[in-house]
Amino acid sequence: MKKILIIVCLFLITPVFAAQIKEEKSVDKIEYMNLEWWNNFNDDILNSHLVTLYEKNYDLKNAALKIKENEQMVKMQFANELPAVNLSGQLARDFQAPLQKFGNMEIPKYSQNNYNIPITAGYEIDIWGKNRLYTKSKKEQLEIVKQAERATYISLSSDFASDYFNLIKADKLIQIQDELIKLEEEILQKTGEKYKAGLCSVDELLNEEKNLAMLKEERNIHLQTRDVLINGLKVYLSDLNSEVSRNSYENVVLINDIPSKYEALIIENRPDYLQEEANLKRIGFNVRAAKREFLPSFTIFGQIGLNAYQLSSLFKSPSQFFSAGILPNFDLFAGGAKKALLKMRKYEYEQAMNDYQKAYLTGIMEINSGLVEYKTSLKNYDETQNRLNTEAKLYSLIKDKEQIGAASNLETLFAKQKYLMAQKEEVSNKISSIMAAIGLYKATGGVNLYKMEKL
């Protein structure tokens, strides 16, 4: 009897050690920021902001908590693969009616206490691997959440960098706009003098007044854009009271020489593709588990404990009891629930397969579109630079003519105005090229584009 009790006790304490699932090796989440890629912009201020984003952003914190939540769900499911043990004490007092009979034996009226302290263990033998499949399904769900977290890092860092460079663009456009307004005020003054001297019509004067008003309106829009971007970046950094430092436009590095073609396997870096792949595996496990719901289950159960009618004899040898057995279970009729569950899982699998294929096509489309946008933006920037250089030459030529008396001061001001307008286009197209590079980085799943192999 003592040997049996020892064996049972060992059986009961085994789950305590088995349930201690080893934690997965933690990933340094700052790797998701891919600072190696952002170093290509040669902007220490941007890198500093990205580190702050990693440390303080609430969306990233929530994504990390979602990971921990799903890790516990995996542990909860894994617990179904282990024996269950519980301890339940009971203190009762029996009040029996008189003349109670057990066959020919008659028991008079009595009352008594009953002390019962059983330890119960049960374990459903996973013969068919059903519980193991459900655990694998939960692990794939955890992988989906991990990829969602990585997608959050890629998206937030890309969106933050886009707003950061747009803020630099707004600063530069405001600076140019101030020059244009100052220049237009001077043009308006000289046009007014010409009008007073009868050298131009009132329409010409009114047009210059209208141009000045339009330039001021445009400046207001740039100021609004700058304020909105600053407030948005403060939210990203989770600090509304800090100043958003940024680089100057003159120090912005244009990202070029990115490979124009990539291997098709680049799609496997995208979090959405990996999520759909994990979801397909997850539902596949659920389908297999649903099939095994039709098979019988077998549960091993055992109970050991103390039972006595007097407290003084509770811990004595005669009060010890032990029972064990195996319980087979097979549903003869369940109203079609299991069949419906299997069909539902199969329909889910078909949907997951469609989503997986769609994710592949969408990824290819977004990468190709990103490449086209990037190449087009670089071409536009080159064209703008050529136009800016032409306007600079014309402006220099008009100034030389003014010095020798072959052109008026007003003509020089108009030439300078055209040069500044071309400069605005150059600023916009340069930042657009950077936006296209960031968009391509995001479309490829946050990889360093310079390290991808060319086809």
Side-chain angles (χ1 to χ4, degrees):
M1 181 64 179
K2 290 183 178 180
K3 292 181 179 179
I4 295 177
L5 290 176
I6 293 173
I7 293 172
V8 172
C9 289
L10 290 174
F11 169 73
L12 293 175
I13 65 174
T14 299
V16 177
F17 300 99
Q20 297 177 358
I21 304 175
K22 292 183 179 180
E23 295 286 345
E24 295 186 13
K25 185 178 180 181
S26 59
V27 179
D28 190 356
K29 303 295 179 62
I30 200 168
E31 294 180 4
Y32 293 160
M33 305 297 291
N34 201 349
L35 295 179
E36 183 182 22
W37 156 252
W38 298 111
N39 284 334
N40 293 316
F41 293 90
N42 196 26
D43 192 333
D44 293 335
I45 298 176
L46 173 62
N47 290 342
S48 176
H49 283 321
L50 289 175
V51 173
T52 303
L53 184 75
Y54 163 74
E55 294 173 347
K56 296 184 177 181
N57 186 267
Y58 291 112
D59 288 330
L60 298 182
K61 291 181 179 180
N62 282 339
L65 290 174
K66 196 71 175 178
I67 294 290
K68 294 181 179 179
E69 176 186 339
N70 278 266
E71 286 175 345
Q72 301 309 311
M73 291 177 65
V74 173
K75 291 182 179 181
M76 289 171 60
Q77 175 56 42
F78 178 73
N80 293 331
E81 300 184 43
L82 304 174
V85 183
N86 62 77
L87 171 65
S88 59
Q90 178 182 345
L91 171 61
R93 184 170 180 81
D94 298 325
F95 298 93
Q96 298 294 342
L99 302 179
Q100 185 174 3
K101 292 185 177 182
F102 293 90
N104 295 326
M105 183 176 65
E106 182 177 294
I107 301 176
K109 181 179 180 180
Y110 73 96
S111 62
Q112 66 181 7
N113 295 328
N114 186 3
Y115 302 94
N116 186 264
I117 307 177
I119 298 176
T120 305
Y123 174 56
E124 181 182 350
I125 307 174
D126 198 18
I127 297 177
W128 321 116
K130 179 183 67 176
N131 290 331
R132 181 95 284 260
L133 289 172
Y134 282 131
T135 301
K136 289 181 178 180
S137 175
K138 289 295 182 182
K139 288 183 177 180
E140 292 301 329
Q141 178 63 37
L142 175 60
E143 180 62 26
I144 292 173
V145 178
K146 287 181 178 179
Q147 292 301 324
E149 181 189 36
R150 192 168 74 89
T152 302
Y153 273 86
I154 295 171
S155 177
L156 280 177
S157 58
S158 299
D159 293 346
F160 179 88
S162 296
D163 287 354
Y164 173 83
F165 285 110
N166 277 324
L167 179 57
I168 293 176
K169 170 185 171 182
D171 288 338
K172 185 62 177 179
L173 290 180
I174 290 171
Q175 177 187 341
I176 297 174
Q177 200 71 15
D178 287 337
E179 292 185 48
L180 282 169
I181 290 174
K182 183 178 179 181
L183 187 63
E184 183 61 34
E185 288 174 343
E186 188 174 354
I187 292 174
L188 179 59
Q189 179 186 356
K190 293 186 178 298
T191 303
E193 293 174 356
K194 285 178 62 178
Y195 174 71
K196 291 178 181 179
L199 299 176
C200 71
S201 65
V202 67
D203 291 341
E204 189 175 345
L205 179 62
L206 292 175
N207 282 332
E208 297 304 331
E209 290 179 353
K210 182 180 69 174
N211 290 338
L212 179 60
M214 292 173 62
L215 290 172
K216 290 182 178 179
E217 289 175 6
E218 188 175 351
R219 180 180 62 176
N220 292 335
I221 293 175
H222 292 321
L223 290 172
Q224 177 188 3
T225 301
R226 182 181 66 181
D227 292 341
V228 170
L229 289 171
I230 289 175
N231 291 330
L233 291 173
K234 287 182 178 180
V235 173
Y236 277 116
L237 298 173
S238 303
D239 189 356
L240 297 178
N241 297 319
S242 65
E243 292 294 330
V244 180
S245 57
R246 60 264 194 191
N247 212 337
S248 64
Y249 173 79
E250 287 70 22
N251 294 328
V252 170
V253 175
L254 181 65
I255 299 296
N256 50 25
D257 297 330
I258 292 177
S260 58
K261 293 183 179 179
Y262 300 104
E263 294 181 356
L265 292 177
I266 194 174
I267 192 71
E268 296 181 0
N269 293 301
R270 287 173 58 97
D272 60 338
Y273 176 83
L274 295 175
Q275 281 181 289
E276 295 301 337
E277 185 178 54
N279 188 50
L280 194 63
K281 293 179 182 178
R282 178 185 70 86
I283 298 178
F285 290 134
N286 288 341
V287 171
R288 293 167 60 188
K291 291 180 180 178
R292 297 176 190 188
E293 292 286 353
F294 291 91
L295 301 174
S297 63
F298 301 89
T299 303
I300 298 177
F301 65 90
Q303 192 175 64
I304 184 172
L306 304 170
N307 184 48
Y309 294 101
Q310 293 180 355
L311 189 61
S312 59
S313 62
L314 180 62
F315 297 99
K316 294 183 179 180
S317 179
S319 299
Q320 300 174 357
F321 71 91
F322 166 73
S323 63
I326 183 168
L327 177 65
N329 180 59
F330 181 72
D331 293 330
L332 297 177
F333 179 72
K338 293 184 178 180
K339 186 175 181 181
L341 175 64
L342 179 58
K343 286 185 177 181
M344 182 184 72
R345 296 303 187 197
K346 287 182 176 180
Y347 293 145
E348 288 179 349
Y349 188 82
E350 290 182 16
Q351 294 178 49
M353 178 62 73
N354 292 334
D355 291 337
Y356 175 73
Q357 293 174 341
K358 180 182 177 182
Y360 179 83
L361 295 175
T362 301
I364 294 296
M365 178 199 69
E366 291 183 357
I367 292 174
N368 289 336
S369 298
L371 283 170
V372 171
E373 182 179 356
Y374 172 69
K375 289 186 286 187
T376 302
S377 64
L378 285 182
K379 290 179 181 178
N380 288 339
Y381 178 66
D382 290 338
E383 294 296 333
T384 305
Q385 279 191 311
N386 293 333
R387 184 154 55 91
L388 180 63
N389 291 334
T390 301
E391 294 293 346
K393 292 176 181 178
L394 290 173
Y395 175 50
S396 177
L397 182 61
I398 290 293
K399 285 196 298 183
D400 292 340
K401 286 184 176 182
E402 183 186 4
Q403 289 180 354
I404 62 175
S408 66
N409 179 252
L410 196 57
E411 289 176 312
T412 303
L413 295 177
F414 281 127
K416 184 178 180 181
Q417 189 179 55
K418 290 182 180 180
Y419 169 74
L420 291 175
M421 296 296 290
Q423 192 176 7
K424 285 174 58 178
E425 293 295 326
E426 187 266 348
V427 171
S428 296
N429 284 331
K430 182 177 181 180
I431 299 300
S432 294
S433 298
I434 293 177
M435 295 297 102
I438 294 175
L440 182 57
Y441 162 80
K442 188 176 180 180
T444 54
V447 297
N448 190 341
L449 300 177
Y450 284 106
K451 289 199 169 183
M452 296 304 299
E453 296 181 1
K454 297 182 180 179
L455 284 174

